[in-house]
């Protein structure tokens, strides 16, 4: 066999060296990965800005992350959510973090059935999402778990007549939530429930004044989406029942609602998946850093956004970069420890 000419051999050697150098560079510098952050980015006050700023703070504190955030505004409308996600998938986005309520998650469930994309959901509690082997993963308890815990709390209170105001704006959450709460409370206590459905977003004080003035020992506002009108309802009830506790869901834990509630604040019982920042220096440190960076107090869901981004970042760092491999990795670890 004849040897190749020296120039050809040199060319081949240089090509191999270049290919090796490129592969080495790619190994040391893996390409960035787009992650769609599905939120109501144009929402008023703190909700949309908190979630986006939570992503900004994560990126600033993790300059070596492969994550590149893509804001996706679904306006928390179930008719809009699937299209927003589908358009991002058409542009090559395979990973998502969502902060929308249950009705939006249920509407987009089919997009995460086959492994084309993976979603980490931070806020949707509908039992419709529970027990499925798909690519929509949640880092919050479902409504059954949540409401059973809340009912156990109420069962220990003094009193016998409870007013429950159920929001109709997100029935995918509030319908199963009320059913779970009412059945658990009935099994544990003798509380009598007075149940009223209303659209919190269209709340008009004169429509509810007579109902709120009736005799009650406590109020449970079964509503979420951080609607500021929750604070108005609490304040009206407090005026008629200054000694009665007022229970809010974890999805009403917002500075804007507390501001609206005014002097009702001492009667509010705030449910949460997390300890109080005053009892947990790690959470307090996070909120302090957030306030120092952006100049305002975020709502509580920024914690879940941060957790979701840390989980994806950890998977990407270990070389898992497809929906299938990330799902396999996340579910293979019995307990994840985030910051």
């Amino acid at each position: 066999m004849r040897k190749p000419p020296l120039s050809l051999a040199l060319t081949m050697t240089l090509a191999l060296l270049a290919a090796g150098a490129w592969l080495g560079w790619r190994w040391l510098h893996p390409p960035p990965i787009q992650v769609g952050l599905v939120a109501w980015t144009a929402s008023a006050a703190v909700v949309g800005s908190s979630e986006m700023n939570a992503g900004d703070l994560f990126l600033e504190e993790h300059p070596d992350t492969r994550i590149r955030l893509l804001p996706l505004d679904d306006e928390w409308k179930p008719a809009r959510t699937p299209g927003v996600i589908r358009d991002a998938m058409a542009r090559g986005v395979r990973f998502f973090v969502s902060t929308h309520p249950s009705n939006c998650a249920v509407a987009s469930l089919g997009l995460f059935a086959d492994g084309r994309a993976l979603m980490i959901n931070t806020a949707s509690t509908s039992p419709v999402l529970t027990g499925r082997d798909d690519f929509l993963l949640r880092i919050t308890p479902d409504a059954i778990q949540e409401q059973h815990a809340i009912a156990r709390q109420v069962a220990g209170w003094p009193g016998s007549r409870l007013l429950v105001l159920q929001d109709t704006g997100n029935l995918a959450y509030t319908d199963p939530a009320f059913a779970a709460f009412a059945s658990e409370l009935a099994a544990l206590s003798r509380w009598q429930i007075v149940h009223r459905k209303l659209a919190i977003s269209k709340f008009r004080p004169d429509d509810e004044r007579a109902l709120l003035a009736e005799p009650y020992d406590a109020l449970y506002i079964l509503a979420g989406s951080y609607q500021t009108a929750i604070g108005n309802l609490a304040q009206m009830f407090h005026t008629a029942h200054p000694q009665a506790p007022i229970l809010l869901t974890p999805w009403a834990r917002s500075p804007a609602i507390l501001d609206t509630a005014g002097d009702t604040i001492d009667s509010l019982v705030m449910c949460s998946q997390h300890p109080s920042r005053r009892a947990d220096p790690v959470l307090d440190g996070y909120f302090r850093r957030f306030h120092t960076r952006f100049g305002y107090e975020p709502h509580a869901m920024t914690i879940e956004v941060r957790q979701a981004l840390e989980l994806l970042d950890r998977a990407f760092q270990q070389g898992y970069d497809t929906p299938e491999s990330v799902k396999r990795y996340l579910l293979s670890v019995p307990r994840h420890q985030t910051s």
Side-chain angles (χ1 to χ4, degrees):
M1 180 180 294
R2 293 170 54 186
K3 293 182 179 181
L6 182 60
S7 59
L8 177 59
L10 182 59
T11 300
M12 292 171 61
T13 300
L14 291 174
L16 289 172
L17 288 173
W22 182 82
L23 290 172
W25 187 91
R26 284 294 298 267
W27 184 79
L28 291 172
H29 303 86
I33 299 174
Q34 279 195 315
V35 174
L37 181 51
V38 187
W40 188 0
T41 61
S43 57
V46 177
V47 176
S49 59
S50 281
E51 293 151 16
M52 293 303 158
N53 287 158
D56 295 336
L57 185 61
F58 171 81
L59 295 178
E60 290 171 9
E61 295 183 344
H62 297 76
D64 296 329
T65 183
R66 296 177 67 185
I67 292 176
R68 299 294 182 269
L69 282 179
L70 176 66
L72 300 172
D73 186 6
D74 70 345
E75 301 178 13
W76 286 5
K77 294 179 179 179
R80 178 175 168 81
T81 302
V84 169
I85 296 173
R86 195 179 293 111
D87 288 347
M89 290 171 63
R91 302 200 304 270
V93 180
R94 294 293 176 262
F95 297 95
F96 298 86
V97 172
S98 67
T99 68
H100 49 217
S102 293
N103 51 3
C104 295
V106 171
S108 56
L109 190 57
L111 297 174
F112 301 97
D114 58 5
R116 288 178 297 159
L118 180 137
M119 169 81 80
I120 297 184
N121 182 285
T122 67
S124 302
T125 63
S126 171
V128 172
L129 308 175
T130 303
R132 305 174 65 94
D133 183 15
D134 57 14
F135 288 79
L136 193 153
L137 307 179
R138 287 184 293 180
I139 55 174
T140 190
D142 79 358
I144 308 302
Q145 296 172 301
E146 174 190 285
Q147 295 300 314
H148 283 180
I150 293 173
R152 289 192 293 270
Q153 177 75 17
V154 175
W157 291 356
S160 61
R161 197 162 190 258
L162 172 69
L163 174 62
V164 177
L165 299 178
Q166 178 192 341
D167 183 31
T168 58
N170 183 15
L171 293 174
Y173 165 50
T174 62
D175 270 348
F178 176 74
F181 173 81
S183 63
E184 183 75 357
L185 188 63
L188 296 174
S189 71
R190 296 186 177 182
W191 277 91
Q192 174 193 357
I193 293 178
V194 178
H195 180 210
R196 161 81 177 218
K197 286 187 173 183
L198 74 161
I200 299 287
S201 63
K202 300 176 182 178
F203 158 69
R204 295 191 302 179
D206 289 342
D207 292 345
E208 314 302 335
R209 201 176 302 279
L211 174 69
L212 295 177
E214 293 179 17
Y216 303 105
D217 298 303
L219 168 67
Y220 179 21
I221 303 178
L222 180 49
S225 301
Y226 305 99
Q227 300 173 83
T228 54
I230 292 170
N232 298 120
L233 274 170
Q235 196 169 51
M236 281 185 62
F237 181 85
H238 180 70
T239 300
H241 310 280
Q243 304 303 319
I246 301 171
L247 180 65
L248 304 182
T249 72
W251 314 108
R253 192 180 176 199
S254 158
I257 290 174
L258 295 180
D259 289 343
T260 307
D263 59 4
T264 308
I265 192 167
D266 290 337
S267 298
L268 294 181
V269 179
M270 306 291 292
C271 300
S272 176
Q273 304 94 332
H274 310 287
S276 165
R277 61 181 292 185
R278 289 162 183 79
D280 189 316
V282 175
L283 284 179
D284 187 56
Y286 171 74
F287 283 114
R288 286 178 182 274
R289 297 198 315 276
F290 193 106
H291 189 278
T292 298
R293 174 62 180 85
F294 300 109
Y296 68 93
E297 293 292 331
H299 66 77
M301 200 158 56
T302 57
I303 299 170
E304 281 84 5
V305 172
R306 175 65 174 237
Q307 289 173 322
L309 294 175
E310 288 190 13
L311 291 172
L312 288 177
D313 181 58
R314 191 172 303 162
F316 297 160
Q317 285 180 353
Q318 299 189 43
Y320 305 112
D321 57 7
T322 66
E324 294 87 351
S325 63
V326 170
K327 173 186 174 180
R328 193 181 315 116
Y329 162 71
L330 292 176
L331 298 183
S332 70
V333 179
R335 186 181 183 89
H336 291 274
Q337 181 66 51
T338 62
S339 66

